Amino acid sequence: MRIAENLGARLLSAVDLAPVALVEQNTSVCDTVAAMNEGGTTCAVVMTSQGLQGVFTDRDIVHGVAGHPDAGSDPISTHMTQEVVQLTPGSSVLEALHVMNEERIRHVVVVDDDGDVTGAVSDGVIIGVLDQLLRDPEVREDHELGAQHGLLFIDFTGLSLAKPVTVQADEPLARAIHHMQSWNIGSVLVVDARETLVGVLTERDLQHQIVCQVADIEGATVGDYMTSDPVSLSPRAKIVEGFHAMAAHGFTHLPLTAESGRPVGIASFRDLAEYAELTVTTVD
């Protein structure tokens, strides 16, 4: 079975969905973030007696909460996204990929016929499914022209990637957060005085160690909270290597560096998801 057929036939009921944190609408932002961290998820679903009312994700943390210390005590209903994109367990992975690209979201809530939330299709879920497919010997050895060729043999120079936004480790944490909000991005790359990559700060770092924990983001520095020595690839690396790296390490932003170590690009889940859908729907 080729990639497009596989993604179209694979139902969400057969996929290991990402967990979600279930919270009530009057739960505080800080308690919601704590529930997300405890549950190992980047998505909280806000429920009432009438059912699902909204979602709150790591991207909402960046753009609605980070940099606003007083927001931590707000009820989550004031920061959640009210229009929730939903699918059912009978929907396919290909449907989920299409919806995520079309709506430019990274979490789709899965709700069964009884109205119960069974999990979410997250960026990590999609990356894991595609990585598994691209490791399948039958896919790799298929010599007919198909989507697998675009994913296995095209390198990152074939993608139109955004120029990386950089900061230095001794700059205030507030500056990095400002960049993420202003540029609507999920990560900033950290470089030294020679412009060599030394770290990365992502929205998940904000969720796990900064929001509701660091009161003085002007006094704190990026270096205190960044991930040091991040995994990076050459722009000449194949796109499949990007899926493998993201799946293996559980991240959704992949720096691309020149031989000197200077960052020249960054590939996000969004870049790979859009390319994957375009490839499987126009080639396979």
Side-chain angles (χ1 to χ4, degrees):
M1 184 179 291
R2 305 179 80 185
I3 289 181
E5 295 171 337
N6 190 300
L7 293 177
R10 186 175 301 195
L11 302 183
L12 299 182
S13 58
V15 173
D16 290 331
L17 299 175
V20 298
L22 298 178
V23 299
E24 298 179 352
Q25 62 181 351
N26 60 348
T27 305
S28 72
V29 167
C30 284
D31 285 346
T32 299
V33 172
M36 292 164 67
N37 290 340
E38 183 177 352
T41 180
T42 54
C43 178
V45 174
V46 184
M47 306 290 292
T48 68
S49 57
Q50 284 74 46
L52 195 159
Q53 298 298 307
V55 294
F56 180 80
T57 71
D58 52 350
R59 184 53 58 94
D60 294 311
I61 289 174
V62 173
H63 296 287
V65 178
H68 305 285
D70 294 340
S73 59
D74 292 344
I76 198 62
S77 58
T78 63
H79 294 279
M80 70 184 184
T81 299
Q82 294 184 354
E83 296 181 5
V84 183
V85 179
Q86 303 177 40
L87 289 175
T88 69
S91 303
S92 71
V93 174
L94 188 58
E95 289 178 78
L97 178 62
H98 173 69
V99 167
M100 294 169 84
N101 285 333
E102 185 175 58
E103 300 292 333
R104 299 194 65 77
I105 57 178
R106 295 176 305 142
H107 299 83
V108 179
V109 178
V110 180
V111 181
D112 64 20
D113 292 338
D114 295 324
D116 294 326
V117 176
T118 62
V121 184
S122 67
D123 41 17
V125 169
I126 294 294
I127 288 170
V129 169
L130 287 169
D131 178 57
Q132 182 185 47
L133 271 178
L134 292 170
R135 290 181 182 275
D136 188 328
E138 291 187 9
V139 170
R140 299 184 69 89
E141 295 170 8
D142 186 346
H143 297 295
E144 294 184 28
L145 181 63
Q148 66 274 13
H149 285 73
L151 294 168
L152 289 170
F153 303 117
I154 301 297
D155 62 35
F156 283 101
T157 61
L159 298 184
S160 178
L161 301 177
K163 182 180 178 181
V165 177
T166 63
V167 295
Q168 294 195 343
D170 59 357
E171 292 191 71
L173 193 54
R175 182 174 178 81
I177 293 172
H178 172 74
H179 284 331
M180 294 168 76
Q181 294 170 337
S182 298
W183 292 94
N184 192 27
I185 54 178
S187 66
V188 291
L189 301 185
V190 188
V191 296
D192 61 18
R194 300 174 61 184
E195 296 296 314
T196 301
L197 180 69
V198 296
V200 60
L201 185 80
T202 72
E203 54 211 340
R204 294 183 182 178
D205 293 316
L206 298 189
Q207 175 185 326
H208 290 290
Q209 38 177 352
I210 297 170
V211 168
C212 298
Q213 299 181 58
V214 180
D216 182 12
I217 59 173
E218 289 287 351
T221 63
V222 173
D224 292 332
Y225 299 96
M226 70 182 188
T227 298
S228 300
D229 301 319
V231 173
S232 65
L233 293 179
S234 161
R236 292 293 181 182
K238 301 298 187 288
I239 290 173
V240 65
E241 295 178 65
F243 280 111
H244 292 341
M246 287 184 174
H249 298 281
F251 48 61
T252 56
H253 297 87
L254 181 63
L256 303 174
T257 54
E259 290 185 7
S260 64
R262 178 177 62 86
V264 294
I266 183 164
S268 68
F269 162 76
R270 174 69 51 225
D271 298 314
L272 297 191
E274 290 178 348
Y275 178 76
E277 185 188 9
L278 177 65
T279 303
V280 301
T281 55
T282 59
V283 178
D284 241 332

